[in-house]
Amino acid sequence: MDSMISAAAHALAAGDPLGALDRVALRDDAPALALRGIALAQLGDFSRARMLLRRAMRAFGARQAVARARCVVAEADIALASRELNWAAKSLDAARATLEAHGDKANAAYARYLEARRLLLLGHPDEAERKLDQLNPASFPPSMTAIHELISAGIQMRHLKAAAAHAALDRAGRAAQRAGIPALTAEVDNTLQVLNAPAARLMRSGLERSLRLGEVEALMESEALVLDAFRYVVRDAGKTVSLVRRPVLFALARALGEAWPHDVSRDTLVARIFRARTADDSYRARLRVEVGRLRAELRALADVRATKRGFALEPRRARDVAVLARPVEERHAAVLAFLADGESWSSSALALALGASQRTVQRQLDALTASGRVQPFGRGRARRWIACPVPGFTTALLLPDAMSIG
């Protein structure tokens, strides 16, 4: 490796892409093309970065397997930053195996971090944690340690473990300071802001207030009967009942939970659950059927008692009832939650992350564009959507695994 390539590589490792470009901007040999691509990626010019990396891979040729594998990892990094989540996982796995076989442990670990971050974005924190457990950050440089701890913090946030997330972010902050890379320090600060932002709304006995992640964790560990509108489950200290496939029953349970300890009139329930203007005999009969089904589902947790004017929820063990709701409840909230990270997303990546069809997501993006909530740019397959983050709430709790979008 000549001195200019070595100096450019050190500049990139230190988070100085402009310094790297000063050294290799006028060169077209394979190592320089690869370094220019990575530098442009750090500066946000993803399309030119991807083009340069592909030129570098062709220039390296089949005999330089390690250099080609590093280019594959760099291209996967660009895909992740571009929110193109449907990349070829086999190519990244093969590149990681090549790097491990040739002793490039740092880049092999980085490839595994990329896969863990992708799994986290797709709402699979358990799988991401298994990827992370295969790595020991103590053996890596500070910049890699910071990345490891940032991913760990994201996993803990998805698991509603605020204290563990704060601890991981503390470690990430110290590692980022040792690395001396401003972009890494900024990412730690941004994640800390997300962790400290209101994450949910609590509705209890007719009152409503915002909750931070730590308060959500405390609520979930309490002995209250919690109606979780993120995951469509009802739980107390001893049992959890999922109503994710019974949205009408959950809506009924939530209406009763919000009014607890009081009852809710039949007319109100009919208007809220069936969106009917008048509660005629047909709707009242349908309401009785749904109440019967809800009693059967919740029989271990609570009873639904008939009153003179309607129905009331009666917990069997819990002495308190709380409804945990999203910070913002509106149509297309799940799509907005993803776009609120400030990155540009394709409709295919959103469909993959939400577990919905691309056509469904496209309709929602069209509606949000018409209302001025999101901004599209690009054409054809390069079309992306971006939205300004909704100030003051985190997206972590808006992305439950089993949530369908409406």
Side-chain angles (χ1 to χ4, degrees):
M1 183 182 296
D2 62 52
S3 60
M4 294 301 285
I5 292 293
S6 178
H10 280 96
L12 282 178
D16 181 15
L18 294 177
L21 286 175
D22 279 345
R23 293 170 174 84
V24 296
L26 300 179
R27 293 176 52 168
D28 282 332
D29 54 293
L33 287 172
L35 291 173
R36 284 168 57 193
I38 296 171
L40 289 176
Q42 290 188 7
L43 292 171
D45 190 346
F46 295 142
S47 60
R48 290 182 62 195
R50 184 179 283 116
M51 179 190 68
L52 288 170
L53 285 169
R54 289 175 180 172
R55 283 181 60 192
M57 277 193 281
R58 289 194 295 271
F60 278 127
R63 292 186 177 181
Q64 300 191 55
V66 174
R68 287 174 60 88
R70 289 171 180 163
C71 289
V72 171
V73 174
E75 195 169 353
D77 198 6
I78 292 172
L80 185 70
S82 307
R83 296 300 186 261
E84 296 173 4
L85 304 182
N86 53 348
W87 74 52
K90 289 183 179 178
S91 297
L92 186 59
D93 281 344
R96 179 181 51 77
T98 299
L99 294 169
E100 287 176 343
H102 289 81
D104 189 350
K105 295 181 180 179
N107 282 313
Y110 194 77
R112 207 178 286 277
Y113 285 138
L114 289 177
E115 183 59 24
R117 290 171 62 192
R118 176 177 175 270
L119 290 168
L120 198 54
L121 275 174
L122 291 175
H124 306 304
D126 292 336
E127 293 179 47
E129 192 167 26
R130 284 194 287 273
K131 292 279 183 184
L132 212 61
D133 288 344
Q134 298 173 18
L135 298 167
N136 178 15
S139 61
F140 298 140
S143 59
M144 297 279 283
T145 303
I147 293 171
H148 183 104
E149 298 299 347
L150 277 169
I151 299 172
S152 177
I155 292 170
Q156 299 305 330
M157 289 166 69
R158 291 296 183 90
H159 286 156
L160 299 181
K161 295 180 179 177
H166 274 291
L169 282 180
D170 285 344
R171 295 191 295 271
R174 290 194 295 272
Q177 286 182 349
R178 291 199 303 275
I181 301 176
L184 207 51
T185 303
E187 189 169 351
V188 174
D189 292 341
N190 290 338
T191 307
L192 188 59
Q193 288 180 8
V194 171
L195 179 57
N196 289 329
R201 284 181 300 134
L202 174 68
M203 300 177 184
R204 173 184 279 163
S205 303
L207 301 177
E208 179 179 329
R209 68 181 181 90
S210 298
L211 293 183
R212 299 181 188 280
L213 195 68
E215 294 172 306
V216 175
E217 181 183 7
L219 177 65
M220 289 300 184
E221 293 175 352
S222 72
E223 295 185 351
L225 181 71
V226 179
L227 295 98
D228 183 350
F230 290 95
R231 297 164 182 78
Y232 280 38
V233 300
V234 183
R235 59 166 300 279
D236 66 7
K239 190 174 177 60
T240 300
V241 173
S242 174
L243 298 177
V244 69
R245 297 184 184 281
R246 310 294 295 272
V248 171
L249 296 190
F250 184 83
L252 181 56
R254 176 175 171 171
L256 297 173
E258 289 178 8
W260 186 87
H262 306 293
D263 63 351
V264 184
S265 71
R266 291 174 178 80
D267 289 350
T268 301
L269 288 173
V270 165
R272 179 163 175 175
I273 308 303
F274 305 128
R275 299 179 182 177
R277 293 183 178 179
T278 57
D280 58 21
D281 290 344
S282 173
Y283 278 118
R284 284 173 177 264
R286 187 178 169 190
L287 179 63
R288 286 196 296 274
V289 171
E290 298 299 345
V291 167
R293 289 171 177 164
L294 184 61
R295 282 195 185 106
E297 292 285 347
L298 299 185
R299 58 185 176 278
L301 298 175
D303 186 23
V304 181
R305 177 174 54 84
T307 65
K308 186 175 181 180
R309 71 182 193 112
F311 297 94
L313 194 65
E314 286 192 349
R316 298 199 184 281
R317 293 180 294 272
R319 296 184 177 180
D320 190 13
V321 176
V323 175
L324 187 68
R326 301 178 196 179
V328 177
E329 290 187 298
E330 59 179 87
R331 292 190 68 190
H332 318 315
V335 173
L336 287 171
F338 277 97
L339 294 176
D341 68 357
E343 302 292 344
S344 60
W345 286 73
S346 66
S347 58
S348 59
L350 285 170
L352 189 64
L354 290 165
S357 71
Q358 192 169 344
R359 182 59 193 147
T360 299
V361 171
Q362 186 64 56
R363 282 197 298 268
Q364 298 197 20
L365 287 170
D366 290 343
L368 290 168
T369 301
S371 63
R373 304 292 302 277
V374 303
Q375 177 69 45
F377 63 89
R379 294 177 179 274
R381 298 183 64 181
R383 194 170 180 81
R384 299 287 186 274
W385 282 262
I386 191 167
C388 295
V390 178
F393 77 90
T394 180
T395 64
L397 287 181
L398 287 178
L399 314 176
D401 300 341
M403 183 182 69
S404 60
I405 60 176

